[in-house]
């Protein structure tokens, strides 16, 4: 009771990375709160699923195994969480800000009248003093995310309703196994006690999933361009540099909106989150929306003609100059010194 729950997404028998990231963060938050970390997995053919989940420090794993629960559909998964949470009374529930999480989270929070903060970039535990009411709340979940178009970073709290619910984007949190031999309890529930037959009215007949054309999240080097690159033609220079140094090409929202690069390469609050070893930011101003998606890069190199660009303040190295002049030189000298 009053524990922290993580809803784990599953695809072809494998727990999604975003769920494992949330288990890692959930373990840290649970330690701070002095409560247990619990996970929920709903799908089919889940024998042995605990081997993927428990090593992340999960104290109790709730398993709902039924052939009708996979692929995901809204109604049965909503019923599982709503009825389970009515029974267990968790204080916090976390799930990925994915297609599934963005469908499931609002349904559950609405049914429980608990509230939900979407697309969080950070989660912390802290206190809040309501001076008007003269009340101090301890151990609240700080749900932190960019707001007002990314112009501010908002810290959102829910002092009165439970569970405190938040969705988090993939790649924002680190994924780290706590103990490969971690011992947690596995509870296999009878699905019929939580889900009615009418919840299974929708059946998935076939699924077609298009795989990504690139591997931005897994690339150790990313060359990313912003509106300052100037044109789609200039963006080809970024692809030339990325090819030479075995990296991938990313873009800011401004560059994508301007038509310089395809949307599936967008990095930031409304794109994907990356953690490369080297991030080369070309013509990127450094708005908070973009920073949210790449600030955990090991080394940040900024190439910008504006010495006062905000991104320069977080960069490890700054090169002041025009993209069309700097990048050809980088390609030339890299080729020369890599022979």
């Amino acid at each position: 009771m009053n524990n922290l729950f993580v809803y784990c997404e599953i695809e072809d028998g494998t727990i999604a990375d975003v769920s494992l990231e949330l288990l890692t963060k959930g373990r840290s938050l649970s330690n701070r709160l002095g409560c247990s970390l619990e996970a929920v997995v709903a799908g089919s053919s889940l024998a042995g699923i605990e081997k993927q989940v428990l090593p992340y420090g999960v104290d109790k794993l709730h398993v709902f195994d039924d052939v009708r629960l996979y692929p995901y559909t809204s109604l049965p998964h909503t019923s599982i969480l709503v009825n389970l949470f009515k029974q267990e009374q968790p204080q916090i529930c976390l799930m990925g800000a994915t297609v599934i999480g963005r469908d499931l989270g609002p349904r559950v929070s609405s049914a429980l009248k608990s509230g939900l903060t979407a697309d969080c970039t950070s989660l912390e535990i802290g206190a809040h003093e309501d001076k008007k009411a003269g009340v101090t709340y301890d151990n609240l979940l700080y749900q932190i995310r960019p707001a007002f178009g990314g112009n501010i970073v908002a810290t959102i709290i829910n002092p009165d309703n439970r569970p405190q619910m938040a969705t988090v984007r993939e790649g924002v949190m680190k994924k780290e196994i706590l103990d490969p031999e971690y011992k947690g309890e596995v509870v296999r529930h009878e699905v019929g006690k939580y889900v009615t037959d009418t919840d299974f009215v929708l059946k998935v007949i076939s699924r077609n999933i298009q795989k990504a054309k690139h591997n931005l999240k897994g690339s150790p080097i990313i060359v990313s361009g912003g509106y300052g690159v100037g044109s789609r033609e200039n963006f080809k220079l970024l692809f030339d540099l990325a090819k030479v140094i075995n990296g991938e090409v990313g873009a800011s929202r401004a560059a994508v909106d301007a038509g310089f690069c395809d949307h599936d390469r967008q990095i930031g609050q409304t794109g994907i989150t990356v953690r490369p070893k080297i991030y080369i930011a070309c013509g990127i101003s450094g708005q908070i929306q973009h920073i949210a998606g790449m600030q955990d890069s090991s080394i940040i190199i900024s190439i910008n003609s504006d010495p006062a660009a905000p991104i320069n303040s977080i960069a490890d190295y700054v090169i002041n100059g025009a993209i069309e002049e700097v990048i050809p030189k980088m390609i030339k000298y890299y080729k020369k010194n890599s022979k």
Side-chain angles (χ1 to χ4, degrees):
M1 189 173 182
N2 291 324
N3 293 328
L4 189 154
F5 277 65
V6 174
Y7 171 81
C8 295
E9 294 184 29
I10 191 164
E11 181 66 40
D12 293 333
T14 302
I15 301 294
D17 281 348
V18 66
S19 300
L20 300 179
E21 293 163 9
L22 290 176
L23 290 177
T24 302
K25 184 63 177 181
R27 181 68 269 168
S28 174
L29 296 175
S30 296
N31 291 343
R32 177 74 186 273
L33 293 167
C35 70
S36 295
L37 172 63
E38 304 191 27
V40 182
V41 179
S44 64
S45 302
L46 298 180
I49 197 66
E50 63 272 13
K51 295 177 183 178
Q52 296 184 49
V53 177
L54 296 184
Y56 288 85
V58 174
D59 298 301
K60 181 184 285 189
L61 171 62
H62 300 267
V63 178
F64 294 84
D65 195 338
D66 189 301
V67 68
R68 297 171 296 176
L69 291 174
Y70 183 84
Y72 168 88
T73 52
S74 304
L75 294 180
H77 284 249
T78 299
S79 292
I80 284 172
L81 288 192
V82 169
N83 291 319
L84 179 65
F85 288 175
K86 286 180 178 178
Q87 173 184 310
E88 298 294 330
Q89 298 292 306
Q91 61 176 308
I92 294 173
C93 171
L94 306 177
M95 58 181 67
T98 61
V99 171
I100 290 176
R102 287 173 175 146
D103 174 72
L104 181 62
R107 292 173 181 270
V108 175
S109 66
S110 177
L112 298 176
K113 297 179 173 61
S114 64
L116 169 72
T117 301
D119 290 327
C120 291
T121 56
S122 182
L123 300 170
E124 303 294 340
I125 300 296
H128 171 69
E129 181 183 1
D130 186 338
K131 295 181 179 180
K132 185 176 181 179
V135 179
T136 298
Y137 300 90
D138 294 320
N139 294 327
L140 291 178
L141 178 67
Y142 287 176
Q143 300 152 61
I144 303 167
R145 56 154 295 164
F148 291 102
N151 292 314
I152 66 170
V153 175
T155 298
I156 300 169
I157 58 170
N158 182 359
D160 298 317
N161 300 85
R162 297 293 179 269
Q164 302 164 87
M165 293 186 64
T167 63
V168 180
R169 298 171 61 81
E170 182 177 1
V172 171
M173 310 294 180
K174 292 183 179 180
K175 179 180 68 173
E176 185 176 1
I177 289 177
L178 178 68
D179 179 356
E181 303 299 325
Y182 194 86
K183 303 299 180 183
E185 180 185 1
V186 179
V187 180
R188 298 188 179 275
H189 295 277
E190 185 178 334
V191 175
K193 293 182 177 180
Y194 295 83
V195 185
T196 65
D197 288 339
T198 56
D199 286 331
F200 292 109
V201 65
L202 180 66
K203 182 179 180 181
V204 177
I205 298 175
S206 65
R207 299 169 77 212
N208 294 295
I209 301 175
Q210 183 176 358
K211 294 188 179 296
K213 300 175 183 178
H214 50 73
N215 184 27
L216 267 175
K217 288 185 296 184
S219 178
I221 302 174
I222 294 177
V223 182
S224 192
Y227 188 76
V229 171
S231 67
R232 195 173 185 92
E233 288 299 314
N234 281 352
F235 236 90
K236 292 179 180 179
L237 291 171
L238 277 60
F239 282 93
D240 292 340
L241 176 60
K243 183 177 180 180
V244 170
I245 61 179
N246 296 316
E248 284 282 1
V249 174
S252 70
R253 178 174 179 174
V256 171
D257 288 347
F260 298 166
C261 194
D262 297 334
H263 180 268
D264 62 354
R265 294 184 181 274
Q266 183 174 317
I267 295 170
Q269 181 189 354
T270 52
I272 63 174
T273 300
V274 295
R275 298 170 180 268
K277 293 180 179 178
I278 299 176
Y279 189 88
I280 305 175
C282 307
I284 294 175
S285 63
Q287 296 298 317
I288 193 171
Q289 300 100 316
H290 185 76
I291 298 299
M294 46 68 68
Q295 60 188 346
D296 290 328
S297 304
S298 298
I299 296 175
I300 300 173
I301 301 171
S302 173
I303 304 174
N304 207 300
S305 57
D306 179 8
I311 198 168
N312 292 347
S313 64
I314 68 164
D316 298 283
Y317 302 95
V318 176
I319 302 174
N320 289 323
I323 301 299
E324 53 268 35
E325 295 178 2
V326 174
I327 291 184
K329 290 181 180 179
M330 292 180 70
I331 294 173
K332 175 183 176 181
Y333 286 105
Y334 182 85
K335 286 181 176 180
K336 178 181 179 181
N337 292 303
S338 61
K339 291 180 179 179

